[in-house]
Amino acid sequence: LLEHHSDGYRNTPVADAYLAGRADSLDLRPYLTFWDSLSYPHWQAYGESIRTATPAEFPLADNMAVFMTGVQTYNSLHALMLADRYDWGRHDRVLDLAGLSPDFLVRAADRNPELRGTFATTEPMLGMARSALDPDLRSRIDFHEADPLTDEIPGTYDAVLLEHVIHRYDSEQNRTILRTARRAVEAGGRLLLLDFLLDPADGRRLDPLLAGEYLVVDGTVVYPEDEVRDWLAMTGWRVVGMLPLPGSPRVLVAEAG
């Protein structure tokens, strides 16, 4: 974070970009506030969470602003990285299903002026996402209230994005969501499944770290990549690639069979 020079200390380029409140880059300080005030106290209960497979007590009602601002800030970083590494120019109708942040569609729309998006999720996430949308994009991004476990999604799309979805559901529910996503796209349409995934062979330490984070904070699950690939094969998807995002989740890219 800091470099020592003859005249004192200075921010490193990374700290200067993300932690100094610069207008031309993403400010990640709200996410550090989340880790400091909410995440770290939960890690102090990690041993008990491991023994019981349950999260520590989480007074979310008293800390909703810190929680949502931190999570949305981190999602904004992932949305930016995905837009920098994936060609959104190949799509013109994109569905963000059960997501947490409209920033993924916003960044995709920035890269492709012809793209239209639909953000489909349940309340209250829908209301928060709609209020956060830039007015200039409201003619290009629609909002639809839908439960991905029970509701059909109107329209047909050439890409579906599942961003930070699967860790919030169990295996059977995830297969249901993947079938819902498959019905929403035309043959050959793409699925971008963005989440932390466990693969002991690749040496990434970030995924098991976030597995612990999800366990102690809300009891959700980081799944093994092989298990997720099996779900995709069972629900009409064919994996065509993996897109690593440095310091962020990985993205399984699949096509509808």
Side-chain angles (χ1 to χ4, degrees), residues 8-248:
Y9 290 92
R10 299 176 192 166
N11 285 340
T12 63
V14 170
D16 186 56
Y18 295 111
L19 301 178
R22 295 172 59 94
D24 59 349
S25 63
L26 181 61
D27 185 359
L28 290 181
R29 289 178 298 176
Y31 189 60
L32 295 190
T33 300
F34 165 83
W35 271 57
D36 178 57
S37 60
L38 296 180
S39 173
Y40 181 72
H42 277 70
W43 276 96
Q44 294 178 305
Y46 182 68
E48 183 65 17
S49 292
I50 287 293
R51 283 190 293 272
T52 62
T54 57
E57 184 180 354
F58 193 35
L60 187 58
D62 298 331
N63 299 281
M64 180 61 78
V66 172
F67 177 82
M68 290 306 305
T69 304
V71 170
Q72 294 288 15
T73 299
Y74 198 41
N75 283 346
S76 294
L77 176 64
H78 300 162
L80 178 61
M81 288 191 170
L82 179 61
D84 285 343
R85 289 164 175 79
Y86 183 76
D87 179 18
W88 286 113
R90 64 184 296 152
H91 303 296
D92 55 25
R93 290 164 288 120
V94 178
L95 169 67
D96 186 324
L97 179 61
L100 297 177
S101 171
D103 250 19
F104 290 88
L105 289 178
V106 169
R107 295 292 182 178
D110 285 343
R111 299 305 195 275
N112 179 5
E114 304 302 318
L115 184 144
R116 291 190 61 90
T118 296
F119 191 85
T121 190
T122 56
E123 290 283 2
M125 290 306 303
L126 192 67
M128 287 186 286
R130 185 186 286 111
S131 65
L133 186 66
D134 188 318
D136 292 340
L137 287 170
R138 288 178 183 168
S139 64
R140 297 174 57 196
I141 298 176
D142 299 321
F143 291 87
H144 179 74
E145 183 177 355
D147 185 332
L149 297 176
T150 58
D151 296 336
E152 293 297 316
I153 308 300
T156 304
Y157 304 86
D158 59 14
V160 179
L161 176 63
L162 294 179
E163 41 96 356
H164 294 294
V165 172
I166 65 168
H167 74 263
R168 293 153 43 206
Y169 294 90
D170 64 31
S171 299
E172 182 177 351
Q173 291 172 327
N174 278 318
R175 290 192 292 271
T176 297
I177 292 170
L178 289 169
R179 292 188 185 98
T180 299
R182 174 61 190 88
R183 290 191 295 270
V185 299
E186 56 204 19
R190 282 203 162 180
L191 169 73
L192 279 71
L193 189 154
L194 179 148
D195 220 313
F196 293 100
L197 302 171
L198 296 173
D199 180 1
D202 70 5
R204 274 195 16 150
R205 297 181 179 180
L206 186 62
D207 301 275
L209 172 65
L210 267 293
E213 169 80 356
Y214 290 167
L215 171 63
V216 298
V217 170
D218 59 8
T220 51
V221 179
V222 173
Y223 289 100
E225 182 184 329
D226 287 347
E227 183 175 351
V228 177
R229 286 176 176 264
D230 288 342
W231 299 342
L232 291 167
M234 295 167 59
T235 54
W237 297 100
R238 178 176 61 88
V239 175
V240 296
M242 166 65 77
L243 187 63
L245 304 180
S248 298

